[in-house]
Amino acid sequence: MAQTQYAIRLEHVTKTFGGVAANQDISMQIRRGEILSLLGENGSGKTTLMNMIAGIYYPDEGQIYVNDQLADIRSPRDALALGIGMIHQHFKLVDVFTAVENIALGLPKGERFDLRRVRDKARAICEKYQFALDLDQKVYEMSVSQKQTLEIVKVLFRGADILILDEPTAVLTPQETERLFEVMRNMRADGKAVIIITHKLHEVLEISDRVAILRRGCYVGDVLTADATEASLTEMMVGKKVELDIERPEPKDPVRRLAIQNLTVYNAEGIKVLDDVSFDAYGGEILGIAGISGNGQKELLEAIAGLQHAAPGSDVKFFPPEREHQPMELLGKTPRAITEAGVHLSFVPEDRLGMGLVGSMGMTDNMMLKSYDAGHSPLVDRKAPQELAKEIKEELGVVTPDLNTPVSRLSGGNVQKVLVGRELAASPIVLMTAYAVRGLDINTSYTIYRLLNEQKKKGVAVLFVGEDLDVLLQLCDRILVLCGGRVNGILDGRTATKEEVGLRMTNLVKEDAEQ
Amino acid sequence: MSSLIAWILRAIPFGTIIMYGAMGEIVTEKSGNLNLGVPGIMYLGGFAGFASAYYYENLTANPNPVLSVVIALLCALIASTLGGLIYAFLTITLRANQNVTGLALTTFGMGVANFFGVFILNGSSYSAAPLANKAFAAKIPVLSGLGTVGQVVFSYGFLVYAAIVLAIVLFWFLSRTRMGLNLRAVGENPATADAAGINVTRYKYVATLCGAAISGVGGLYYVLDYNQGIWATTEQIEALGWLAVALVIFTTWKPLNAIWGAYLFGMLYWLYQFLPSLMGISVPSYATDLIQMVPYVVTILVLIVVSLRRKKENQPPASLGIAYFREER
């Protein structure tokens, strides 16, 4: 075996965050002159694993060997000294600096400071790998793709020969992706080891030589791309079905509550994040929305709730119970008007306190956020919200020393209960939840499922954006799969298989397969 | 014509005071620290410089003018650096709110200077350090006698020229050196600077302390040159300190702009005294304060124009006023 066959070798690497294992006993190898895809669902531990190689995290257990030498990587600097460079999803660039200035930032002190020499060397790198980059351009004038290119040039400039790219194509157009792949192939031809973190199957098959798969923090295995198909990769990625024993009552006489037609949304950068989405939601059923995060789930819910602008031609109709033949157009209405009509959004963002709750206020005050303008008195009514807070505390078992303890001091699960409880208490007609069980322990998750089922029995139309396919398949009556902002099929929750959903999440199905 | 010259002769020393204050604040703000304690720091620098020069003159048998300059400068630098240290420790290490800390420092600096000033004043309304004043205000020999040009260009104390040199040095430092590049990165995007291996805390500390030292020289120049070496309990320095903060915005954080900006502010500040006589009109005394407001009005106009044009280069450092936490999971 050649001495430097493996650029990186991991031996039994484990990393835990607050008792939850993000990576469990992972052993794998990365070779020179190959492009390795690291494939896995959200939260499967891909980025954590790579962050340990790049010096952002330090493994709790296990060893990392770089070029067959045991390496102790404590910081990104250590990683760079070993020739490891990682390009993160969030770029680390100074906006008002030019490309050259950004490259020069933090260069070792030994050499004389000379921006012209930096520029010459950077230009040579650009020519070698055929990067299209104006080195004198300011970063704030650059497109996302150019910034990414600059990040790559930055690590190459520092002599990296092991490159890790964290979901590089998530922000690129197809043409830009093609150009990035071209550059990656050039780097491979130059003998560098290139790792690409992704969950897009067609990209995996197009660019990589080998695929390594992670699932729930564990290493599933690796296959040569030549031997892999989309179906085999999906199966490795999502695994076998796990029985969860979630209750799923049959929907009772479903009534149409929402009719979404041709909903298209552009984000602030002008990229189409929702593309011609059409579906109906019925009272008395739970409609699951599956998809890799960032495929339009957030925008879909926000557009319905009035928090996002929809492109012309879109249409969102709401059918209130009392006037079912007079649908109400939701687009163009203010978020408040939509909430008052009975369409509620309970969104659990990455930081639970970011949206919906004020961290420094207690439960009672957070309840008041929804009721402060009730009645005609100039003074606010504190009694009703206090009652409500008490009710939620008892019913959902919120652990808090006092109703007035700032919610930011509660544990994540309890904060989530407060948030969901408040939305449920408003007796919604349509209830939208996103990532309602993210970060919750099993028992609390089941409490949330039970609450959602209760709402369903009451005839509420529930939209449930979830991450865990097992939960989606066992809780929801129908599952809408979003992929690249498009509806990629609406499946029956009772008959769909995990592989089917997984495949649709990662790959647009060409033919119209709606049931 | 002669009143125009008199106007300039007044405006340039005035501009020099706020130029020091502003240059110090530019250095501080480039590291992302918004130090509103500039007036307090100028008080500290001015008082320490005056007090040391005063005691040196009065307690020494044969005081040497050069030595008195050195002592006064050194004491002013030390006192204002200590003022900056209070700010730096509170905002960088303890991550206290920058605005509140700065305003507290202003009050603190004024209080300290006025409190200890009581012992020097000893009951009288003012006291003076004539020797130090003579040394600080010494004009350039020969050149200052060369007619009108000589008078306008060469008839100031050495700190006026030092300020111009310092502005050029700062420009060169910020735009041409590795440390300048690193400092700007710290103020723009500390997380990026940190990832690039730059010691963010050290840069913030050093910039804040150096900035305070430079600002303090403005106070020293005010007392020992501009105010003819006289210490009195007035609030004049505070007003100058705020004008310096306004000047930072006016320069759009560029040291070279501080040179002409400061002199322009000086002209505008003295507008009320010279413009009426130049134009041959009389202005009622109650309008004086209104006219002295002009520099602030100009600053607001600059803010409006800069905000409207949204040119990134003219904006304050992106992370100005925000304490830096290294993100940990």
Side-chain angles (χ1 to χ4, degrees):
Chain A
M1 190 184 286
Q3 235 250 315
T4 53
Q5 191 189 355
Y6 294 133
I8 293 180
R9 196 151 52 86
L10 300 179
E11 298 274 353
H12 309 293
V13 169
T14 296
K15 178 79 189 169
T16 29
F17 292 111
V20 182
N23 287 138
Q24 184 98 50
D25 191 26
I26 291 181
S27 300
M28 64 181 287
Q29 300 87 32
I30 296 151
R31 298 181 190 135
R32 302 199 163 281
E34 82 164 1
I35 297 174
L36 174 75
S37 286
L38 195 57
L39 185 67
E41 285 186 283
N42 293 322
S44 55
K46 297 166 294 196
T47 303
T48 306
L49 185 66
M50 288 302 112
N51 274 341
M52 281 191 275
I53 299 175
I56 310 266
Y57 300 142
Y58 193 75
D60 298 338
E61 281 166 46
Q63 294 86 37
I64 300 173
Y65 295 86
V66 179
N67 299 330
D68 291 329
Q69 301 268 317
L70 184 62
D72 186 42
I73 309 171
R74 297 250 169 209
S75 71
R77 286 222 130 183
D78 292 352
L80 265 177
L82 291 164
I84 303 166
M86 181 157 169
I87 287 93
H88 298 269
Q89 278 179 290
H90 301 284
F91 303 133
K92 296 229 181 287
L93 298 169
V94 179
D95 269 355
V96 293
F97 283 12
T98 62
V100 174
E101 286 175 320
N102 267 294
I103 293 169
L105 199 63
L107 282 181
K109 289 210 173 73
E111 299 160 47
R112 209 169 65 83
F113 184 74
D114 184 355
L115 282 180
R116 248 169 310 173
R117 268 190 19 217
V118 173
R119 184 187 291 115
D120 290 344
K121 198 177 151 194
R123 183 167 295 144
I125 290 172
C126 287
E127 275 162 21
K128 185 171 172 191
Y129 299 105
Q130 289 163 4
F131 290 112
L133 187 67
D134 177 359
L135 290 167
D136 293 310
Q137 200 176 14
K138 294 263 166 86
V139 170
Y140 66 81
E141 292 170 338
M142 292 183 179
S143 68
V144 181
S145 149
Q146 287 170 312
K147 287 181 194 174
Q148 188 180 60
T149 309
L150 173 57
E151 284 280 19
I152 298 174
V153 174
K154 235 171 85 178
V155 295
L156 290 176
F157 190 94
R158 284 161 175 74
D161 49 16
I162 301 164
L163 274 103
I164 307 165
L165 297 115
D166 189 359
E167 301 202 15
T169 59
V171 291
L172 301 184
T173 64
Q175 293 81 359
E176 289 168 339
T177 302
E178 210 32 66
R179 205 175 317 139
L180 173 71
F181 284 177
E182 205 47 54
V183 166
M184 283 168 65
R185 289 191 190 102
N186 288 339
M187 293 193 285
R188 171 178 63 189
D190 198 36
K192 296 191 186 302
V194 182
I195 305 155
I196 171 170
I197 300 177
T198 182
H199 45 235
K200 294 184 185 165
L201 287 179
H202 63 100
E203 289 179 355
V204 170
L205 293 171
E206 186 188 339
I207 184 73
S208 61
D209 303 307
R210 201 157 58 91
V211 192
I213 294 135
L214 291 183
R215 190 200 311 148
R216 291 173 201 260
C218 295
Y219 191 67
V220 177
D222 68 312
V223 283
L224 290 176
T225 310
D227 302 336
T229 63
E230 284 181 1
S232 71
L233 290 177
T234 308
E235 203 185 311
M236 289 178 88
M237 195 164 97
V238 296
K240 293 274 169 288
K241 189 172 175 179
V242 185
E243 282 304 326
L244 292 172
D245 200 25
I246 302 174
E247 185 200 6
R248 178 161 50 190
E250 282 295 323
K252 270 188 292 180
D253 34 81
V255 200
R256 188 161 66 158
R257 289 290 175 229
L258 275 183
I260 283 117
Q261 287 293 327
N262 314 106
L263 180 62
T264 300
V265 170
Y266 293 89
N267 69 3
E269 280 91 53
I271 296 167
K272 212 185 246 184
V273 280
L274 276 184
D275 187 2
D276 202 14
V277 169
S278 302
F279 67 93
D280 293 336
Y282 295 89
E285 72 155 20
I286 298 183
L287 173 65
I289 296 173
I292 308 276
S293 75
N295 274 270
Q297 298 95 315
K298 180 169 168 264
E299 288 80 5
L300 174 61
L301 298 198
E302 287 188 348
I304 298 172
L307 299 170
Q308 284 266 0
H309 275 289
S314 310
D315 187 48
V316 177
K317 281 206 167 55
F318 170 58
F319 301 88
E322 59 274 18
R323 292 176 284 115
E324 255 146 42
H325 301 291
Q326 281 176 285
M328 176 180 165
E329 176 63 53
L330 292 188
L331 293 181
K333 291 253 182 340
T334 62
R336 166 174 292 197
I338 293 173
T339 309
E340 276 166 4
V343 179
H344 282 243
L345 171 63
S346 136
F347 194 86
V348 180
E350 269 92 305
D351 57 330
R352 295 183 186 85
L353 292 168
M355 223 167 131
L357 294 178
V358 178
S360 58
M361 302 197 322
M363 272 181 76
T364 307
D365 287 357
N366 270 301
M367 297 302 138
M368 272 172 64
L369 289 180
K370 291 267 166 167
S371 65
Y372 68 94
D373 59 346
H376 295 286
S377 160
L379 302 174
V380 289
D381 174 19
R382 285 191 68 90
K383 232 188 198 145
Q386 197 165 354
E387 287 300 315
L388 177 58
K390 210 181 276 170
E391 220 178 285
I392 292 175
K393 185 185 167 192
E394 276 155 25
E395 200 160 309
L396 301 190
V398 179
V399 183
T400 172
D402 188 280
L403 290 180
N404 293 320
T405 306
V407 291
S408 60
R409 292 215 209 122
L410 308 187
S411 75
N414 284 309
V415 172
Q416 224 144 310
K417 286 184 199 167
V418 175
L419 187 61
V420 175
R422 188 184 63 188
E423 296 311 320
L424 295 183
S427 46
I429 299 159
V430 176
L431 176 67
M432 301 185 280
T433 66
Y435 313 117
V437 295
R438 179 180 278 175
L440 295 190
D441 60 50
I442 308 236
N443 281 330
T444 322
S445 304
Y446 275 82
T447 310
I448 302 271
Y449 303 145
R450 183 173 57 76
L451 287 168
L452 292 176
N453 271 325
E454 271 171 26
Q455 295 294 315
K456 170 179 164 183
K457 284 182 209 160
K458 274 192 216 165
V460 172
V462 181
L463 267 66
F464 178 86
V465 173
E467 291 172 302
D468 191 324
L469 289 186
D470 289 314
V471 171
L472 281 164
L473 281 166
Q474 290 172 61
L475 176 71
C476 305
D477 301 300
R478 290 186 303 146
I479 298 171
L480 183 157
V481 187
L482 279 178
C483 179
R486 302 182 72 111
V487 176
N488 200 23
I490 299 177
L491 310 171
D492 187 325
R494 286 173 178 76
T495 55
T497 64
K498 210 170 169 183
E499 285 74 24
E500 201 177 348
V501 179
L503 203 56
R504 280 175 190 270
M505 277 163 62
T506 47
N507 220 331
L508 271 178
V509 177
K510 297 289 183 298
E511 79 274 32
D512 192 18
E514 277 187 39
Q515 294 180 348
Chain B
M1 184 64 192
S2 65
S3 83
L4 180 66
I5 290 166
W7 192 3
I8 294 172
L9 289 179
R10 208 94 178 92
I12 288 184
F14 182 91
T16 301
I17 307 165
I18 57 173
M19 197 164 136
Y20 276 110
M23 286 192 298
E25 184 63 6
I26 289 175
V27 173
T28 306
E29 291 194 9
K30 282 287 179 192
S31 76
N33 280 350
L34 177 67
N35 187 356
L36 293 179
V38 173
I41 286 168
M42 285 169 72
Y43 256 106
L44 290 175
F47 179 73
F50 172 79
S52 55
Y54 176 83
Y55 283 118
Y56 174 71
E57 272 174 41
N58 289 321
L59 301 177
T60 319
N62 279 319
N64 177 336
V66 176
L67 204 55
S68 102
V69 166
V70 172
I71 289 173
L73 255 178
L74 219 59
C75 288
L77 288 175
I78 290 170
S80 44
T81 305
L82 285 177
L85 186 63
I86 296 173
Y87 176 87
F89 179 70
L90 283 169
T91 60
I92 303 168
T93 304
L94 302 181
R95 300 197 185 101
N97 181 297
Q98 296 190 5
N99 298 336
V100 176
T101 308
L103 292 173
L105 183 60
T106 287
T107 319
F108 173 79
M110 279 173 72
V112 166
N114 285 330
F115 173 76
F116 288 105
V118 169
F119 298 105
I120 290 180
L121 293 173
N122 221 351
S124 61
S125 61
Y126 69 90
S127 60
L131 180 84
N133 171 241
K134 234 182 118 194
F136 270 99
K139 298 174 183 180
I140 298 178
V142 188
L143 287 175
S144 59
L146 294 175
T148 314
V149 175
Q151 197 186 3
V152 170
V153 180
F154 298 110
S155 68
Y156 313 103
F158 71 95
L159 281 177
V160 170
Y161 308 102
I164 297 169
V165 173
L166 184 61
I168 295 166
V169 168
L170 283 180
F171 162 76
W172 173 82
F173 168 78
L174 285 172
S175 61
R176 297 278 186 276
T177 67
R178 183 200 306 273
M179 279 169 77
L181 185 76
N182 291 354
L183 175 62
R184 282 190 291 143
V186 167
E188 288 291 340
N189 193 336
T192 295
D194 197 14
I198 296 165
N199 189 333
V200 173
T201 305
R202 190 198 296 160
Y203 266 88
K204 275 179 171 269
Y205 257 96
V206 172
T208 306
L209 297 190
C210 290
I214 296 170
S215 293
V217 175
L220 173 79
Y221 176 81
Y222 169 78
V223 179
L224 288 181
D225 186 340
Y226 185 82
N227 212 27
Q228 281 136 28
I230 289 169
W231 179 261
T233 36
T234 63
E235 256 88 71
Q236 177 70 6
I237 293 182
E238 195 198 354
L240 291 166
W242 294 128
L243 210 50
V245 174
L247 181 60
V248 173
I249 299 164
F250 182 87
T251 62
T252 60
W253 293 266
K254 291 179 188 67
L256 287 187
N257 289 349
I259 303 174
W260 66 268
Y263 299 154
L264 177 70
F265 272 34
M267 296 291 279
L268 294 173
Y269 188 85
W270 288 107
L271 194 67
Y272 75 97
Q273 213 175 58
F274 295 99
L275 194 65
S277 65
L278 268 174
M279 292 172 60
I281 52 170
S282 68
V283 172
S285 61
Y286 58 77
T288 306
D289 286 338
L290 273 180
I291 298 176
Q292 282 186 319
M293 224 171 59
V294 170
Y296 298 102
V297 175
V298 170
T299 303
I300 291 171
L301 287 177
V302 167
L303 264 179
I304 292 172
V305 170
V306 164
S307 304
L308 283 179
R309 287 173 61 201
R310 288 168 180 276
K311 203 160 167 253
K312 281 261 189 183
E313 282 80 1
N314 291 337
Q315 301 301 324
S319 78
L320 184 63
I322 304 163
Y324 176 60
F325 293 86
R326 182 180 286 192
E327 265 176 64
E328 308 239 21
R329 188 163 159 180

